[in-house]
Amino acid sequence: MTRQLFFILFLFTVTISAQLKSPSEFLGYELGTEFTRHHEVVDYFEHLAKEASDKVKLTVYGQTNERRPLLLTYVSSASNISNLESIRQEHLKNTEGDGNSNTAIVWLSYNVHGNESVCTEASMQTIYDLLTKKSSHLENTVVIMDPCVNPDGRDRYINWYNQHKNSPYQVDPNSKEHHEGWWTGRSNHYMFDLNRDWAWLTQKESQQRMKLYNEWLPHVHADFHEQGVDNPYFFAPAAEPYHEAVTNFQRDFQETVGSNHAKYFDQEGWFYFTKEIYDLFYPSYGDTYPTYNGAIGMTYEQGGSGRGGLGVLTRIGDTLTLKDRIAHHYTTGLSTVEVSSQNAEKLNSEFRKFYQNRNFRYKSYVLNGNRDKIAALKKLLSKHKIKFGHPSKGSVKGYNYRTGSSGSVSMSNNSLVVSTNQTKGTLVKVLFEPNAKLSDSLTYDITAWSLPYAYGLDGIATSSLITAGEGDIDTQIPASKSVSASNYAHITDWNSMEDARFLTALLKEGIRVRTSHHPFAIDGKSFARGSLIITRADNENNTNYIAKLKTMADRFQKNITGSKTGFVDSGKDFGSPYVQMVSKPKVAVLSGEPTSTLRFGEIWHFFEQQLHYPLTVIDSEYRNRVDLKDYDILILPGGSYGDFFGENELKNLKDWVKDGGKLIALGGSIAALVGEKGFGIKEKEFEKDSDQKKPKSHKNSQRESIKSAITGAIFKTKVDNSHPLGYGYGSDYFTLKLGSDSYDFLKNGNVVYLENNTKPVSGFAGSTAQKKVGNSLIFGVESHGKGNVIYMVDNPLFRGFWENGKLFFANALFMVD
């Protein structure tokens, strides 16, 4: 290159850089001296996209529940940006084994937890320097940057902090600015942890992001976080356990990235740690989900989080500032892009190998069961671009999920087949395998999640590859042909969440619905307990009820049976006391301390986004000023209640139930109802064996404590499906147990329970914990006067993904009377 040409290029670069403003210049304050609200972040990225349009492409990929925009920014060389679509298509050919790409694709995600606020601040400096000082990294690299995955949570935290901080700030960790209230900025609008939602896609933000993620499938994904203020920085390599699906290259490249980060941290004398705490196992994280899709998935953790503020004193007396935190995330962000650029060719070749057909133990998963549950699973699979199909009639041998042993089942064209010989084969293995292999029982999250259990389907995992035509989400077909004004009644079944949504839609339209508490047969068809009955006589004053019923039947694809009579072939006639009206209850839920925000959010989301039924939220601060007689149902979410209910309040609660109220207590709230002044439920007494009474060495204390833990394991339980709480279920249920809290059987109303066999069918449970939960209650109903207390020891709504538990909650609302 001649000196003249070099000088021209130099002047061109300087001119472009001069048009770009640094974050501090654009925002009007030095980065790190204030927190930047989301709309200001959006403004800055729009500025970059305008002034460097040849190197930056900005996309709004969605909107949050609170209507904040979700941004994705593509940053690369001008040549790459002009050929972005061609680069994407060539890159995706690697998943088919015939790509010829030499460009590295790096995705950087910031601020998935809203109060881990340094992340977005660092993203602004990172992208600016990629466009200026570090633009050479972009010659063979496309960087995809999501500057704020959780804008609602971030703005919640920043607005709270600005309201409560000292001026300019107070480093004393006891100051209020370092202590968020009950609802922190960590979660999204519905109080869900978006970093646990990558695989389950229950939240709006996750669903919208996944569409674009699947269009790119990057080589590298870095997820920026914060942890406790006293912790040094964490970066790759991750801790054990690694899932066995993680390839040797993915393991090795974590070392490569970590070594590069360490080089820069060592130069600055910054502390860090690796290979501890943050593992690669649970599939719904921002590091593991990308890993199971071929990426190098990594979590980066900076000390700070909601306790950090603009500056705070650490335990050893150092002052940790927001500027410090920005510098650390900025460094690992640039280092990630640098090392990816240096290894672009290797990343492409290994990515191509990842998608070659891998020899997994199980080649196909065959599922049978309720049509609605299969349809729900198909919707989830489609969002992940996982292919599925329906086989021909026949039989298949393999591991039987229900029995836990080898067996065979029949297949029909209604069966669902999901196989690993597809692009998303590794993800299929991880999500469907009966029992994921653990290399270490000390894990950061749950250890079991298998989708056949979560969706309540009978499954066979087979080493044979089952041929099945490619399927799709079920198309809507007219389902209301049996609905007629001349019918005495219309009847339909009750065994899925879609049935519960159908019921609430009818109730909101003012259509009166009955349910049978006894099995019956009519017109040659059999119906189980809980079946819904809509009679002409009950709805004679509801104009157009037939038209409304037809609309709802088509909308929810309900198979309606029309009957000209209420005189049954067997069972109880429709005028029997066993055929009762389903009430339209007024429901309230407790919020605030001492409930868990996560547990409250699951209930809130269940009502508003899944069941579509009204819910009144009563905060604990003013609960004693609320007349519970105005409500039919009160829900107590899980939490740490302790002695939250005083003697008088507990008495008032008991009187309300005695007069006909329905109390639904979940998880940790149950302990607050135990005792002489409480209800009839009792905690199990557990006698420690002699080995547990021996003193333990300090070095083994963590290993010893795990014996008493259940880290999210699946257990097979018994179900009394003759009880209204068990309507729509078979004789067993696979529960996801998150701890070893256990309660004795009730005198009556033990609907779901564990007997002596307490070995989990999937996941880890310590030996002591297994003994503790033997012969214990899972779900039960205690009658108290005219009302009921419904106990849910395990969480049927956990993270919104345990689909087969949700009908128990619907039964608690509508069937238990």
Side-chain angles (χ1 to χ4, degrees), residues 441-452:
S441 56
L442 290 175
T443 61
Y444 196 66
D445 211 284
I446 64 173
T447 57
W449 52 80
S450 182
L451 289 180

Side-chain angles (χ1 to χ4, degrees), residues 200 449-457 714 734 801-805:
W200 319 133
W449 52 80
S450 182
L451 289 180
Y453 294 126
Y455 278 74
L457 297 169
I714 301 170
F734 292 93
F801 91 95
W802 203 255
E803 193 70 22
N804 199 36

Side-chain angles (χ1 to χ4, degrees), residues 84-281:
L84 195 61
E85 179 59 18
S86 297
I87 290 172
R88 185 186 73 84
Q89 291 182 7
E90 190 64 29
H91 166 64
L92 290 181
K93 288 179 182 179
N94 281 329
T95 67
E96 302 166 3
D98 57 1
N100 191 30
S101 175
N102 56 7
T103 304
I105 311 297
V106 179
W107 188 305
L108 306 178
S109 291
Y110 297 87
N111 238 135
V112 67
H113 294 144
N115 61 358
E116 297 175 5
S117 47
V118 67
C119 305
T120 295
E121 306 292 340
S123 75
M124 292 187 283
Q125 191 64 52
T126 302
I127 189 173
Y128 176 73
D129 280 9
L130 280 173
L131 289 167
T132 54
K133 300 177 185 177
K134 304 293 183 179
S135 60
S136 61
H137 297 339
L138 302 178
E139 292 302 316
N140 67 342
T141 305
V142 172
V143 177
I144 305 171
M145 185 178 288
D146 190 333
C148 189
V149 176
N150 181 11
D152 290 350
R154 176 179 171 81
D155 269 4
R156 186 186 315 123
Y157 170 72
I158 290 172
N159 290 334
W160 173 88
Y161 183 80
N162 287 336
Q163 288 173 350
H164 295 286
K165 77 180 184 72
N166 289 59
S167 184
Y169 58 89
Q170 171 59 262
V171 297
D172 184 347
N174 293 317
S175 186
K176 184 173 176 61
E177 66 189 81
H178 302 296
H179 296 269
E180 293 176 88
W182 173 72
W183 189 4
T184 70
R186 179 181 174 89
S187 60
N188 77 338
H189 172 80
Y190 280 107
M191 304 189 192
F192 271 64
D193 185 333
L194 294 178
N195 194 40
R196 270 78 174 170
D197 196 47
W198 279 75
W200 319 133
L201 300 178
T202 67
Q203 299 303 293
K204 185 177 184 180
E205 297 91 341
S206 305
Q207 294 164 9
Q208 294 170 121
R209 183 180 67 252
M210 189 55 63
K211 291 177 182 178
L212 281 179
Y213 190 88
N214 274 320
E215 288 181 5
W216 278 96
L217 296 176
H219 296 115
V220 175
H221 182 267
D223 201 18
F224 291 81
H225 288 262
E226 288 191 85
Q227 54 188 330
V229 294
D230 296 312
N231 291 339
Y233 199 98
F234 170 84
F235 51 71
E240 290 286 351
Y242 279 58
H243 194 285
E244 64 177 342
V246 179
T247 67
N248 290 334
F249 172 74
Q250 287 174 316
R251 288 172 175 262
D252 293 343
F253 202 78
Q254 291 230 344
E255 296 274 356
T256 301
V257 173
S259 296
N260 207 60
H261 295 346
K263 175 180 66 176
Y264 292 111
F265 273 58
D266 290 344
Q267 289 173 4
E268 299 292 337
W270 296 336
F271 290 102
Y272 56 90
F273 68 101
T274 65
K275 305 185 187 75
E276 295 182 75
I277 303 176
Y278 304 103
D279 58 60
L280 284 177
F281 193 68

Side-chain angles (χ1 to χ4, degrees), residues 391-420:
S392 302
K393 292 183 179 179
S395 62
V396 58
K397 294 180 180 180
Y399 177 88
N400 188 308
Y401 284 76
R402 186 166 297 280
T403 65
S405 59
S406 180
S408 62
V409 296
S410 298
M411 295 186 299
S412 72
N413 52 19
N414 292 321
S415 302
L416 183 69
V417 174
V418 187
S419 298
T420 57

